[in-house]
Amino acid sequence: MKTRLFVFVLALLFSVSSAFAAKPLGDGPVFVQEFNGQMDFVKGRLLQLAEAMPDAKYTWTPGEGVRTVGEVYVHAAEANYYLIAVMKGEKPGSDQEKGTTDKKTALSMLEKSFDAVKDAASKLTEADLNREVEAFGMKFSLRNFMITILNHNHEHLGQSIAYARMNGVTPPWSKKGE
């Protein structure tokens, strides 16, 4: 049993890492290229799952005071815009539509936010990545803060997977035979 689990985890890690390694490196810092590859991966999964969730479930929440399905996607988009402001050295704020839970708006915001992050990140230099930034009352290198936001997106991908499964929706990439 432990051997099968080990082999499964090893195969999973190899398949994810080889997907990013197979892409040729272009211009700019290697970190930015790898970061954008990881953002493309989480964007793809979040958008697939957001598409798979029925419109009527966008207001579903597992409990009082917990974000709804739609609010999770909007929150992830807003965090991406926060990252862009930090990248540009601007004061983070949000002019996004707070409290929006409808599927069409949430999907649009999510997709646009990932595209905007990738565009902003592509303009960064090695010096930019090493620049100290302040966010959430803490100081980070910009590179470290970018990793924090990437992790944040993965956190909400996991949350969205749980929400989907609680509502009888199977993530599209995990269906048998695919």
Side-chain angles (χ1 to χ4, degrees):
M1 179 72 165
K2 288 183 182 180
T3 303
R4 281 191 214 161
L5 179 60
F6 176 75
V7 170
F8 172 75
V9 170
L10 191 59
L12 180 64
L13 288 173
F14 177 75
S15 68
V16 169
S17 65
S18 65
F20 298 116
K23 292 183 179 181
L25 295 177
D27 294 330
V30 171
F31 173 81
V32 169
Q33 295 169 52
E34 293 173 342
F35 171 83
N36 280 341
Q38 290 287 329
M39 289 296 273
D40 282 343
F41 175 82
V42 74
K43 170 190 174 184
R45 291 287 169 96
L46 275 169
L47 288 174
Q48 286 177 54
L49 199 52
E51 281 284 355
M53 286 295 284
D55 295 29
K57 294 296 182 179
Y58 267 63
T59 57
W60 180 87
T61 178
E64 189 176 327
V66 180
R67 285 187 180 105
T68 66
V69 169
E71 288 169 341
V72 169
Y73 295 129
V74 169
H75 171 74
E78 288 176 340
N80 287 339
Y81 286 116
Y82 183 91
L83 170 61
I84 294 166
V86 171
M87 284 181 184
K88 293 179 177 181
E90 299 171 354
K91 184 177 179 353
S94 178
D95 58 353
Q96 304 304 310
E97 299 177 41
K98 294 216 181 253
T100 304
T101 58
D102 72 278
K103 183 174 181 172
K104 183 179 176 184
T105 303
L107 275 166
S108 175
M109 285 179 67
L110 195 57
E111 185 164 19
K112 287 177 184 175
S113 75
F114 276 103
D115 292 344
V117 165
K118 188 172 179 178
D119 181 61
S122 295
K123 296 174 183 160
L124 297 173
T125 66
E126 194 65 39
D128 291 327
L129 295 170
N130 295 324
R131 179 173 39 94
E132 187 176 84
V133 298
E134 190 170 332
F136 312 120
M138 298 180 284
K139 293 186 178 185
F140 302 84
S141 69
L142 178 55
R143 177 189 328 267
N144 188 12
F145 188 66
M146 291 167 70
I147 292 168
T148 300
I149 295 298
L150 179 62
N151 288 338
H152 180 262
N153 278 296
H154 278 285
E155 173 188 336
H156 290 299
L157 172 59
Q159 178 184 20
S160 297
I161 292 168
Y163 277 24
R165 291 198 180 274
M166 291 170 76
N167 282 281
V169 175
T170 301
W173 63 88
S174 69
K175 292 180 180 177
K176 288 187 179 199
E178 294 182 340

